[in-house]
PDB file of all heavy atoms in Angstrom:
ATOM      1  N   LEU A   1     -10.391  -7.437   1.658  1.00 75.00           N
ATOM      2  CA  LEU A   1     -10.572  -6.000   1.233  1.00 75.00           C
ATOM      3  C   LEU A   1      -9.461  -5.076   1.505  1.00 75.00           C
ATOM      4  O   LEU A   1      -9.113  -4.178   0.714  1.00 75.00           O
ATOM      5  CB  LEU A   1     -11.883  -5.483   1.879  1.00 75.00           C
ATOM      6  CG  LEU A   1     -13.229  -6.151   1.461  1.00 75.00           C
ATOM      7  CD1 LEU A   1     -14.374  -5.674   2.333  1.00 75.00           C
ATOM      8  CD2 LEU A   1     -13.506  -5.923  -0.075  1.00 75.00           C
ATOM      9  N   TRP A   2      -8.941  -5.231   2.760  1.00 73.00           N
ATOM     10  CA  TRP A   2      -7.760  -4.281   3.025  1.00 73.00           C
ATOM     11  C   TRP A   2      -6.569  -4.589   2.166  1.00 73.00           C
ATOM     12  O   TRP A   2      -5.905  -3.748   1.592  1.00 73.00           O
ATOM     13  CB  TRP A   2      -7.390  -4.494   4.497  1.00 73.00           C
ATOM     14  CG  TRP A   2      -6.083  -3.711   4.878  1.00 73.00           C
ATOM     15  CD1 TRP A   2      -6.071  -2.405   5.200  1.00 73.00           C
ATOM     16  CD2 TRP A   2      -4.770  -4.081   4.823  1.00 73.00           C
ATOM     17  NE1 TRP A   2      -4.900  -1.927   5.492  1.00 73.00           N
ATOM     18  CE2 TRP A   2      -4.028  -3.034   5.186  1.00 73.00           C
ATOM     19  CE3 TRP A   2      -4.133  -5.276   4.577  1.00 73.00           C
ATOM     20  CZ2 TRP A   2      -2.591  -3.023   5.287  1.00 73.00           C
ATOM     21  CZ3 TRP A   2      -2.731  -5.310   4.635  1.00 73.00           C
ATOM     22  CH2 TRP A   2      -1.983  -4.256   5.036  1.00 73.00           C
ATOM     23  N   GLU A   3      -6.230  -5.912   1.936  1.00 76.00           N
ATOM     24  CA  GLU A   3      -5.229  -6.289   0.977  1.00 76.00           C
ATOM     25  C   GLU A   3      -5.403  -5.735  -0.399  1.00 76.00           C
ATOM     26  O   GLU A   3      -4.504  -5.189  -0.975  1.00 76.00           O
ATOM     27  CB  GLU A   3      -5.063  -7.745   0.901  1.00 76.00           C
ATOM     28  CG  GLU A   3      -4.517  -8.544   2.225  1.00 76.00           C
ATOM     29  CD  GLU A   3      -3.056  -8.346   2.324  1.00 76.00           C
ATOM     30  OE1 GLU A   3      -2.390  -8.193   1.337  1.00 76.00           O
ATOM     31  OE2 GLU A   3      -2.563  -8.394   3.474  1.00 76.00           O
ATOM     32  N   ALA A   4      -6.641  -5.857  -0.889  1.00 82.00           N
ATOM     33  CA  ALA A   4      -6.962  -5.346  -2.279  1.00 82.00           C
ATOM     34  C   ALA A   4      -6.798  -3.851  -2.335  1.00 82.00           C
ATOM     35  O   ALA A   4      -6.420  -3.340  -3.360  1.00 82.00           O
ATOM     36  CB  ALA A   4      -8.358  -5.739  -2.580  1.00 82.00           C
ATOM     37  N   SER A   5      -7.038  -3.134  -1.203  1.00 81.00           N
ATOM     38  CA  SER A   5      -6.941  -1.704  -1.211  1.00 81.00           C
ATOM     39  C   SER A   5      -5.546  -1.102  -1.195  1.00 81.00           C
ATOM     40  O   SER A   5      -5.277  -0.018  -1.531  1.00 81.00           O
ATOM     41  CB  SER A   5      -7.852  -1.061  -0.053  1.00 81.00           C
ATOM     42  OG  SER A   5      -7.294  -1.381   1.167  1.00 81.00           O
ATOM     43  N   VAL A   6      -4.623  -1.888  -0.511  1.00 87.00           N
ATOM     44  CA  VAL A   6      -3.303  -1.346  -0.276  1.00 87.00           C
ATOM     45  C   VAL A   6      -2.159  -2.051  -1.048  1.00 87.00           C
ATOM     46  O   VAL A   6      -1.010  -1.588  -0.942  1.00 87.00           O
ATOM     47  CB  VAL A   6      -2.967  -1.311   1.248  1.00 87.00           C
ATOM     48  CG1 VAL A   6      -4.021  -0.410   1.974  1.00 87.00           C
ATOM     49  CG2 VAL A   6      -2.847  -2.677   1.805  1.00 87.00           C
ATOM     50  N   ARG A   7      -2.477  -3.133  -1.657  1.00 90.00           N
ATOM     51  CA  ARG A   7      -1.318  -3.961  -2.293  1.00 90.00           C
ATOM     52  C   ARG A   7      -1.519  -4.001  -3.852  1.00 90.00           C
ATOM     53  O   ARG A   7      -2.699  -4.007  -4.400  1.00 90.00           O
ATOM     54  CB  ARG A   7      -1.256  -5.261  -1.763  1.00 90.00           C
ATOM     55  CG  ARG A   7      -0.762  -5.431  -0.368  1.00 90.00           C
ATOM     56  CD  ARG A   7      -0.375  -6.827   0.086  1.00 90.00           C
ATOM     57  NE  ARG A   7       0.012  -6.982   1.347  1.00 90.00           N
ATOM     58  CZ  ARG A   7       1.248  -6.883   1.763  1.00 90.00           C
ATOM     59  NH1 ARG A   7       2.309  -6.573   0.859  1.00 90.00           N
ATOM     60  NH2 ARG A   7       1.669  -6.962   3.078  1.00 90.00           N
ATOM     61  N   ASP A   8      -0.418  -4.012  -4.458  1.00 93.00           N
ATOM     62  CA  ASP A   8      -0.391  -4.258  -5.933  1.00 93.00           C
ATOM     63  C   ASP A   8      -0.662  -5.728  -6.182  1.00 93.00           C
ATOM     64  O   ASP A   8      -0.021  -6.595  -5.650  1.00 93.00           O
ATOM     65  CB  ASP A   8       1.069  -3.923  -6.448  1.00 93.00           C
ATOM     66  CG  ASP A   8       1.256  -4.346  -7.932  1.00 93.00           C
ATOM     67  OD1 ASP A   8       0.455  -3.936  -8.741  1.00 93.00           O
ATOM     68  OD2 ASP A   8       2.250  -5.026  -8.193  1.00 93.00           O
ATOM     69  N   SER A   9      -1.657  -6.038  -7.016  1.00 91.00           N
ATOM     70  CA  SER A   9      -2.154  -7.324  -7.238  1.00 91.00           C
ATOM     71  C   SER A   9      -1.129  -8.249  -7.957  1.00 91.00           C
ATOM     72  O   SER A   9      -1.182  -9.474  -7.662  1.00 91.00           O
ATOM     73  CB  SER A   9      -3.419  -7.312  -8.051  1.00 91.00           C
ATOM     74  OG  SER A   9      -3.163  -6.684  -9.300  1.00 91.00           O
ATOM     75  N   LEU A  10      -0.242  -7.730  -8.679  1.00 95.00           N
ATOM     76  CA  LEU A  10       0.762  -8.508  -9.330  1.00 95.00           C
ATOM     77  C   LEU A  10       1.935  -9.043  -8.508  1.00 95.00           C
ATOM     78  O   LEU A  10       2.260 -10.100  -8.365  1.00 95.00           O
ATOM     79  CB  LEU A  10       1.332  -7.794 -10.610  1.00 95.00           C
ATOM     80  CG  LEU A  10       2.421  -8.485 -11.363  1.00 95.00           C
ATOM     81  CD1 LEU A  10       1.908  -9.811 -11.954  1.00 95.00           C
ATOM     82  CD2 LEU A  10       3.045  -7.608 -12.358  1.00 95.00           C
ATOM     83  N   THR A  11       2.523  -8.016  -7.827  1.00 96.00           N
ATOM     84  CA  THR A  11       3.724  -8.259  -7.081  1.00 96.00           C
ATOM     85  C   THR A  11       3.614  -8.517  -5.672  1.00 96.00           C
ATOM     86  O   THR A  11       4.489  -9.040  -4.920  1.00 96.00           O
ATOM     87  CB  THR A  11       4.743  -7.060  -7.227  1.00 96.00           C
ATOM     88  OG1 THR A  11       4.164  -5.878  -6.688  1.00 96.00           O
ATOM     89  CG2 THR A  11       5.066  -6.822  -8.780  1.00 96.00           C
ATOM     90  N   GLY A  12       2.472  -8.073  -5.060  1.00 93.00           N
ATOM     91  CA  GLY A  12       2.209  -8.191  -3.601  1.00 93.00           C
ATOM     92  C   GLY A  12       2.898  -7.013  -2.851  1.00 93.00           C
ATOM     93  O   GLY A  12       2.666  -6.959  -1.677  1.00 93.00           O
ATOM     94  N   ALA A  13       3.556  -6.087  -3.505  1.00 96.00           N
ATOM     95  CA  ALA A  13       4.132  -4.838  -2.829  1.00 96.00           C
ATOM     96  C   ALA A  13       3.021  -3.957  -2.570  1.00 96.00           C
ATOM     97  O   ALA A  13       1.907  -3.984  -3.137  1.00 96.00           O
ATOM     98  CB  ALA A  13       5.164  -4.129  -3.775  1.00 96.00           C
ATOM     99  N   PHE A  14       3.205  -3.107  -1.492  1.00 94.00           N
ATOM    100  CA  PHE A  14       2.194  -2.062  -1.185  1.00 94.00           C
ATOM    101  C   PHE A  14       2.111  -1.124  -2.396  1.00 94.00           C
ATOM    102  O   PHE A  14       2.993  -0.988  -3.218  1.00 94.00           O
ATOM    103  CB  PHE A  14       2.554  -1.359   0.074  1.00 94.00           C
ATOM    104  CG  PHE A  14       2.259  -2.198   1.251  1.00 94.00           C
ATOM    105  CD1 PHE A  14       3.425  -2.784   1.934  1.00 94.00           C
ATOM    106  CD2 PHE A  14       1.080  -2.402   1.818  1.00 94.00           C
ATOM    107  CE1 PHE A  14       3.258  -3.535   3.043  1.00 94.00           C
ATOM    108  CE2 PHE A  14       0.819  -3.154   2.875  1.00 94.00           C
ATOM    109  CZ  PHE A  14       1.914  -3.752   3.606  1.00 94.00           C
ATOM    110  N   ASN A  15       0.988  -0.334  -2.442  1.00 94.00           N
ATOM    111  CA  ASN A  15       0.765   0.578  -3.544  1.00 94.00           C
ATOM    112  C   ASN A  15       1.403   1.928  -3.194  1.00 94.00           C
ATOM    113  O   ASN A  15       1.764   2.206  -2.040  1.00 94.00           O
ATOM    114  CB  ASN A  15      -0.705   0.672  -3.965  1.00 94.00           C
ATOM    115  CG  ASN A  15      -1.632   1.041  -2.929  1.00 94.00           C
ATOM    116  OD1 ASN A  15      -1.283   1.778  -1.973  1.00 94.00           O
ATOM    117  ND2 ASN A  15      -2.943   0.626  -2.943  1.00 94.00           N
ATOM    118  N   ARG A  16       1.264   2.817  -4.166  1.00 94.00           N
ATOM    119  CA  ARG A  16       1.832   4.206  -3.969  1.00 94.00           C
ATOM    120  C   ARG A  16       1.109   5.044  -2.837  1.00 94.00           C
ATOM    121  O   ARG A  16       1.785   5.728  -2.082  1.00 94.00           O
ATOM    122  CB  ARG A  16       1.747   4.979  -5.307  1.00 94.00           C
ATOM    123  CG  ARG A  16       2.342   6.224  -5.343  1.00 94.00           C
ATOM    124  CD  ARG A  16       2.518   6.737  -6.791  1.00 94.00           C
ATOM    125  NE  ARG A  16       2.966   8.061  -6.842  1.00 94.00           N
ATOM    126  CZ  ARG A  16       3.383   8.573  -8.089  1.00 94.00           C
ATOM    127  NH1 ARG A  16       3.242   7.862  -9.149  1.00 94.00           N
ATOM    128  NH2 ARG A  16       3.876   9.774  -8.144  1.00 94.00           N
ATOM    129  N   GLU A  17      -0.158   4.835  -2.820  1.00 90.00           N
ATOM    130  CA  GLU A  17      -0.903   5.623  -1.745  1.00 90.00           C
ATOM    131  C   GLU A  17      -0.516   5.147  -0.346  1.00 90.00           C
ATOM    132  O   GLU A  17      -0.418   5.942   0.510  1.00 90.00           O
ATOM    133  CB  GLU A  17      -2.448   5.339  -2.018  1.00 90.00           C
ATOM    134  CG  GLU A  17      -2.991   6.152  -3.191  1.00 90.00           C
ATOM    135  CD  GLU A  17      -2.676   5.365  -4.485  1.00 90.00           C
ATOM    136  OE1 GLU A  17      -2.282   4.125  -4.381  1.00 90.00           O
ATOM    137  OE2 GLU A  17      -2.834   5.939  -5.639  1.00 90.00           O
ATOM    138  N   TYR A  18      -0.388   3.821  -0.238  1.00 90.00           N
ATOM    139  CA  TYR A  18       0.071   3.370   1.078  1.00 90.00           C
ATOM    140  C   TYR A  18       1.409   3.877   1.413  1.00 90.00           C
ATOM    141  O   TYR A  18       1.697   4.223   2.669  1.00 90.00           O
ATOM    142  CB  TYR A  18       0.049   1.810   1.062  1.00 90.00           C
ATOM    143  CG  TYR A  18       0.460   1.249   2.397  1.00 90.00           C
ATOM    144  CD1 TYR A  18      -0.569   1.005   3.364  1.00 90.00           C
ATOM    145  CD2 TYR A  18       1.787   0.977   2.743  1.00 90.00           C
ATOM    146  CE1 TYR A  18      -0.168   0.454   4.700  1.00 90.00           C
ATOM    147  CE2 TYR A  18       2.174   0.454   3.918  1.00 90.00           C
ATOM    148  CZ  TYR A  18       1.153   0.237   4.888  1.00 90.00           C
ATOM    149  OH  TYR A  18       1.482  -0.243   6.071  1.00 90.00           O
ATOM    150  N   LEU A  19       2.328   3.963   0.553  1.00 94.00           N
ATOM    151  CA  LEU A  19       3.661   4.495   0.771  1.00 94.00           C
ATOM    152  C   LEU A  19       3.582   5.893   1.327  1.00 94.00           C
ATOM    153  O   LEU A  19       4.312   6.157   2.308  1.00 94.00           O
ATOM    154  CB  LEU A  19       4.489   4.364  -0.535  1.00 94.00           C
ATOM    155  CG  LEU A  19       5.839   5.153  -0.392  1.00 94.00           C
ATOM    156  CD1 LEU A  19       6.796   4.332   0.447  1.00 94.00           C
ATOM    157  CD2 LEU A  19       6.412   5.277  -1.842  1.00 94.00           C
ATOM    158  N   THR A  20       2.730   6.742   0.667  1.00 91.00           N
ATOM    159  CA  THR A  20       2.688   8.102   1.150  1.00 91.00           C
ATOM    160  C   THR A  20       2.285   8.164   2.669  1.00 91.00           C
ATOM    161  O   THR A  20       2.847   8.907   3.449  1.00 91.00           O
ATOM    162  CB  THR A  20       1.745   8.925   0.278  1.00 91.00           C
ATOM    163  OG1 THR A  20       2.249   8.877  -1.114  1.00 91.00           O
ATOM    164  CG2 THR A  20       1.682  10.379   0.736  1.00 91.00           C
ATOM    165  N   GLU A  21       1.249   7.358   2.949  1.00 87.00           N
ATOM    166  CA  GLU A  21       0.743   7.413   4.294  1.00 87.00           C
ATOM    167  C   GLU A  21       1.756   6.844   5.288  1.00 87.00           C
ATOM    168  O   GLU A  21       1.974   7.362   6.414  1.00 87.00           O
ATOM    169  CB  GLU A  21      -0.554   6.628   4.439  1.00 87.00           C
ATOM    170  CG  GLU A  21      -1.768   7.238   3.672  1.00 87.00           C
ATOM    171  CD  GLU A  21      -1.958   8.629   4.182  1.00 87.00           C
ATOM    172  OE1 GLU A  21      -2.076   8.869   5.481  1.00 87.00           O
ATOM    173  OE2 GLU A  21      -2.164   9.494   3.392  1.00 87.00           O
ATOM    174  N   ARG A  22       2.487   5.786   4.851  1.00 89.00           N
ATOM    175  CA  ARG A  22       3.543   5.181   5.754  1.00 89.00           C
ATOM    176  C   ARG A  22       4.705   6.069   5.930  1.00 89.00           C
ATOM    177  O   ARG A  22       5.146   6.267   7.104  1.00 89.00           O
ATOM    178  CB  ARG A  22       3.978   3.940   5.086  1.00 89.00           C
ATOM    179  CG  ARG A  22       5.079   3.163   5.834  1.00 89.00           C
ATOM    180  CD  ARG A  22       4.505   2.732   7.254  1.00 89.00           C
ATOM    181  NE  ARG A  22       5.519   1.923   7.925  1.00 89.00           N
ATOM    182  CZ  ARG A  22       5.421   0.651   8.086  1.00 89.00           C
ATOM    183  NH1 ARG A  22       4.402  -0.011   7.646  1.00 89.00           N
ATOM    184  NH2 ARG A  22       6.443  -0.002   8.697  1.00 89.00           N
ATOM    185  N   LEU A  23       5.057   6.824   4.932  1.00 93.00           N
ATOM    186  CA  LEU A  23       6.125   7.799   5.095  1.00 93.00           C
ATOM    187  C   LEU A  23       5.786   8.938   6.135  1.00 93.00           C
ATOM    188  O   LEU A  23       6.625   9.395   6.874  1.00 93.00           O
ATOM    189  CB  LEU A  23       6.596   8.425   3.764  1.00 93.00           C
ATOM    190  CG  LEU A  23       7.268   7.543   2.881  1.00 93.00           C
ATOM    191  CD1 LEU A  23       7.532   8.239   1.489  1.00 93.00           C
ATOM    192  CD2 LEU A  23       8.646   7.050   3.413  1.00 93.00           C
ATOM    193  N   LYS A  24       4.525   9.368   6.147  1.00 90.00           N
ATOM    194  CA  LYS A  24       4.044  10.372   7.081  1.00 90.00           C
ATOM    195  C   LYS A  24       4.319   9.845   8.516  1.00 90.00           C
ATOM    196  O   LYS A  24       4.817  10.537   9.374  1.00 90.00           O
ATOM    197  CB  LYS A  24       2.582  10.652   6.909  1.00 90.00           C
ATOM    198  CG  LYS A  24       2.253  11.456   5.598  1.00 90.00           C
ATOM    199  CD  LYS A  24       0.792  11.682   5.474  1.00 90.00           C
ATOM    200  CE  LYS A  24       0.389  12.354   4.152  1.00 90.00           C
ATOM    201  NZ  LYS A  24      -1.032  12.533   4.097  1.00 90.00           N
ATOM    202  N   ALA A  25       3.983   8.631   8.708  1.00 84.00           N
ATOM    203  CA  ALA A  25       4.120   7.950   9.981  1.00 84.00           C
ATOM    204  C   ALA A  25       5.554   7.801  10.344  1.00 84.00           C
ATOM    205  O   ALA A  25       5.973   8.069  11.514  1.00 84.00           O
ATOM    206  CB  ALA A  25       3.324   6.618  10.072  1.00 84.00           C
TER     207      ALA A  25
END
């Protein structure tokens, strides 16, 4: 479930929402 929520299903890269949270950190 976590993988499905944060990763792009085609490429395996993280999604845009995850990037924003990661950049804050």
Side-chain angles (χ1 to χ4, degrees):
L1 291 172
W2 180 82
E3 288 283 337
S5 70
V6 300
R7 288 193 183 272
D8 171 54
S9 60
L10 176 66
T11 64
F14 287 102
N15 59 30
R16 184 169 178 166
E17 291 76 16
Y18 181 88
L19 172 68
T20 301
E21 293 303 312
R22 181 60 177 252
L23 287 178
K24 292 177 184 176

